[in-house]
Amino acid sequence: MSFSFQIDLKKGTVSKDTNKLNPDILYDLLVIGGGPAGLNAALYAKRKGLEVGIITKRKGGLLLDTSVVDNYLGIKEMSGESIADEFLRHVEALEVPIKDDSEVVGYTKDGEEHLLTLYSGEMFKAKTILVATGSNPRHLGVPGEDLYAGKGVAYCAICDAPLFKNKEVLIAGGGNSAVEAALDLAKVATSVTLVHRSQLRADAILTDKLKDDPKISVHLETQIEEIFGETAMKGIRVLHKETGEKEELYADGLFIEIGHLPNTGIFKSLLELNDRGEILVDEKNRTSLPGVFAAGDVTTVPYKQIVIAASDGAKAALGVNEYLNSHG
């Protein structure tokens, strides 16, 4: 167990702080990221008897920006912040040190040791590291988007479709994820309107289904210029590029389905990535660098969901444990 000592000047005693990352310890595993993948990886690693610590910008990750979660097994409905608190309490109960508000800005390898340098200048070392830094949904970058995020504007149809039962919804995007979102939402919404600035890029089998669904209408070569509303989103203002005509489209919600940006940070130039910038991993979450693992939304694992990220973190920790056992 790692700990540092603090002097109590009033009592003249020494107490140990088990919640601080110690730069003098060679950890078995250092996890970069404090979302579901990173937290569950730390939990599994700790229960395997490994010396593990977490470095993260934000304890809880994108969970803190999730209003309601109702598709996590065993949890009927809970806010993302509440789930993050439960995850953190579980990990902290195992006395896993977490260094919060911290960013890794440097990585080097000294023999078999992986060295991580923080923005603060501190350096920590480990036998293995796990990159679990997540991703962020791509934004349209139009007026009103940030204002109505969580107030009609959403970024995950898989997560939030049930909230729009019997309502009218809009979808921004033209790839597979956007078309799949339209098909899924059409099962619960009264109408679905897909808006895309150019032509559809989705697979033909999906676009054929899109055309056959009477609930779905499509506006191509249509640019979203603004999202408007009052206390909640009411609609979007668009420009039909071929005619120059402007129009207001009213709806109860807008799903922005234009992909994710993986938070690869410094590892962007160190690890092999796919064409979407995600870290390539094998079935045991190993990356292109020995001793470096990755898990969750920052990787090629499909479907950016809480439960999938958490399970991927567990799988990665088991992969790390196996790697350490085989490497002495």
Side-chain angles (χ1 to χ4, degrees), residues 54-284:
I54 299 173
I55 301 169
T56 182
K57 287 184 179 180
R58 190 183 185 203
K59 290 192 289 188
L62 279 181
L63 273 175
L64 301 180
D65 299 328
T66 305
S67 55
V68 177
V69 177
D70 60 2
N71 59 356
Y72 198 97
L73 186 63
I75 299 174
K76 292 183 179 179
E77 184 176 304
M78 187 180 287
S79 71
E81 186 175 358
S82 296
I83 291 180
D85 287 342
E86 291 294 329
F87 287 178
L88 283 164
R89 274 196 285 268
H90 196 170
V91 172
E92 289 171 349
L94 296 175
E95 298 185 336
V96 174
I98 302 176
K99 190 163 183 60
D100 194 15
D101 297 322
S102 298
E103 182 179 2
V104 176
V105 296
Y107 165 82
T108 56
K109 194 173 182 184
D110 182 10
E112 293 299 312
E113 295 183 10
H114 302 267
L115 308 177
L116 299 176
T117 303
L118 308 191
Y119 183 79
S120 62
E122 298 169 282
M123 182 178 288
F124 299 92
K125 53 193 177 182
K127 298 175 185 177
T128 62
I129 63 170
L130 172 66
V131 183
T133 43
S135 68
N136 290 305
R138 290 180 182 272
H139 286 220
L140 292 173
V142 299
E145 181 175 5
D146 292 339
L147 179 62
Y148 295 110
K151 301 174 184 177
V153 174
Y155 296 88
C156 179
I158 296 175
C159 315
D160 296 332
L163 302 177
F164 292 85
K165 186 176 181 180
N166 299 324
K167 295 184 178 182
E168 297 180 342
V169 296
L170 298 158
I171 295 174
N176 283 345
S177 61
V179 174
E180 287 173 350
L183 294 170
D184 288 341
L185 281 159
K187 299 170 187 176
V188 297
T190 55
S191 70
V192 177
T193 303
L194 187 146
V195 181
H196 187 47
R197 63 184 180 181
S198 57
Q199 297 297 310
L200 294 178
R201 306 183 312 277
D203 297 338
I205 189 171
L206 292 174
T207 57
D208 288 343
K209 289 182 179 180
L210 192 76
K211 295 171 185 175
D212 291 339
D213 196 314
K215 282 189 177 182
I216 301 175
S217 59
V218 179
H219 291 282
L220 299 179
E221 301 296 334
T222 301
Q223 184 79 39
I224 297 175
E225 296 190 326
E226 184 182 359
I227 302 167
F228 66 88
E230 295 175 354
T231 56
M233 189 211 94
K234 291 176 61 179
I236 59 176
R237 294 186 175 96
V238 301
L239 169 68
H240 297 289
K241 294 161 68 175
E242 292 181 344
T243 64
E245 177 190 359
K246 295 193 176 186
E247 184 181 6
E248 290 185 349
L249 301 176
Y250 290 85
D252 300 297
L254 168 66
F255 285 86
I256 299 173
E257 295 282 350
I258 55 176
H260 287 74
L261 290 170
N263 298 322
T264 47
I266 61 165
F267 295 98
K268 182 177 182 179
S269 59
L270 299 173
L271 302 175
E272 289 186 16
L273 312 176
N274 66 6
D275 58 358
R276 295 185 297 277
E278 299 166 328
I279 298 174
L280 289 168
V281 292
D282 65 9
E283 72 279 1
K284 295 182 180 179

